[in-house]
Amino acid sequence: MVIEKQLYTFMVDHSHHMAEDWLQSRATEEYYIYSLNASREIESTLRKQHIKFTNMLADCMMSGHDPYPWAKELAQQRKSAGVPLIKILQNFNRCREISWRYIQQFADSYAEDVRTSHIGAWSLQFNRAFDRVIEVFTSHYHQFDDAVTFEHRTIQMGVPVIPITENIGILPLVGELDTFRATFIQEQTLNKASSLKLQYLIIDLSGVYTLDTTVADELFTVIKQLSLLGIKAIISGIRPEIAQTSIKLGLNFSDILTFGSLKVALAHLLEPKKKVKI
C-alpha cells in the first residue's frame, strides 16, 4: 500500500501542474458565452475546478470514492451556463490523457518499486473513475433534455486506448456493450491503436457484464482488423458470467490469447522471461 499512498500524494501535489497543462491544451474557449473581460475570472474558476477534480480522482483510485456528487454539481453548473456538451466531453478526454501521463511519469520515477500489477490496477481504477464521472455528468446534463440521444453521448465519450509502453496499450471496456457502441469502438480503436504505433493491445473486459453474439462478432472483427495492421490483440478479465454465456452461445475464443486478469496479461508481455501463471 506504500506505493499507492505515494501515487496519491504525487497526484495531489501535481494537481496544479495538471490544471495548467489542461488549460493550455484547450483548443477553443469553453466559456465563449462570457465576455472577454471575464476571461481571467473564468480561467481562475476552471483552474480551481480542475484541481478539485484531480484530488477527487485520486480519492476514487485509492479509496473507491464515488465521484457522483462532484459530477452532478459540475453538470448543473455547465448546463446552467449553456456550455455545449461536445466541448465539455472534449475537455474530459484531454483531461484523461493529461492525468494518465502524470501517472506514467510517477511510474517512471519509481521504476524500481512499480510492478506491472500496479500499472494494471491503476489503469482500471483510473478509467473506471473517469467513466463514472462521464456517466453521471451526461445523465444529469441531459436530465431535462431529450434532444441528445444516448448514442450521440457515447460517441463523444471516445475510446480510451491507454498506452502503457511504447508498443503496448490497454483498451478498458466498462458498462453495457450494445451493437452501436461496439461498432463505434471498432472504428475508433483501429485509428487510435494505429496512431500510437502499438504492437499489442490488451482489451480488458473486467468491467463488462453482458455479451451477446452480435457484439462478440464486432469484437472478433476488430481483433482481425488489428491483426491486419500488425497489432496483436489480447483479451483479459472475462468475467465468469461472460464465460458461461459465451459457452451457451457457442462463442469461440480459442484463437485469441486470453488471460484471467489485466495483471497477468501485462506480466506476460512485460516479463516474458518469468514463468507466469495463466
Side-chain angles (χ1 to χ4, degrees), residues 41-202:
E41 180 180 349
I42 294 164
E43 186 172 291
S44 176
T45 299
L46 289 173
R47 182 179 292 105
K48 291 177 182 177
Q49 288 178 339
H50 196 284
I51 291 171
K52 184 177 179 179
F53 170 75
T54 299
N55 293 337
M56 182 272 299
L57 181 63
D59 286 336
C60 290
M61 292 180 62
M62 299 305 125
S63 60
H65 173 77
D66 191 349
Y68 183 95
W70 182 90
K72 178 181 177 181
E73 179 184 354
L74 184 67
Q76 292 172 338
Q77 292 174 354
R78 295 297 193 269
K79 183 67 175 181
S80 298
V83 183
L85 179 63
I86 185 172
K87 293 187 178 296
I88 299 169
L89 293 176
Q90 285 171 348
N91 282 327
F92 267 134
N93 284 334
R94 285 197 293 272
C95 181
R96 189 197 293 258
E97 293 171 1
I98 291 169
S99 299
W100 183 254
R101 189 166 67 238
Y102 273 85
I103 293 176
Q104 287 183 305
Q105 180 181 327
F106 171 83
D108 292 339
S109 300
Y110 292 85
E112 294 183 358
D113 301 315
V114 175
R115 300 189 297 273
T116 56
S117 58
H118 292 130
I119 297 176
W122 295 342
S123 174
L124 283 180
Q125 294 161 357
F126 173 83
N127 284 290
R128 282 175 178 170
F130 246 103
D131 290 341
R132 174 62 172 162
V133 167
I134 294 175
E135 176 190 357
V136 173
F137 182 94
T138 54
S139 174
H140 284 280
Y141 186 94
H142 287 296
Q143 190 170 11
F144 304 106
D145 183 3
D146 295 328
V148 179
T149 63
F150 171 78
E151 288 82 3
H152 180 73
R153 295 198 299 272
T154 301
I155 288 177
Q156 300 306 333
M157 284 173 64
V159 177
V161 175
I162 307 298
I164 298 299
T165 67
E166 289 185 357
N167 61 358
I168 300 173
I170 299 174
L171 172 61
L173 298 179
V174 179
E176 181 181 355
L177 286 182
D178 58 16
T179 305
F180 178 87
R181 187 182 177 201
T183 302
F184 177 71
I185 287 173
Q186 175 185 329
E187 297 171 353
Q188 294 298 306
T189 298
L190 293 174
N191 292 332
K192 292 194 176 184
S194 178
S195 65
L196 290 170
K197 299 180 180 179
L198 299 179
Q199 293 181 17
Y200 300 94
L201 178 65
I202 303 174

Side-chain angles (χ1 to χ4, degrees), residues 206-218:
S206 57
V208 176
Y209 292 84
T210 59
L211 188 69
D212 59 27
T213 52
T214 304
V215 173
D217 285 341
E218 294 284 354

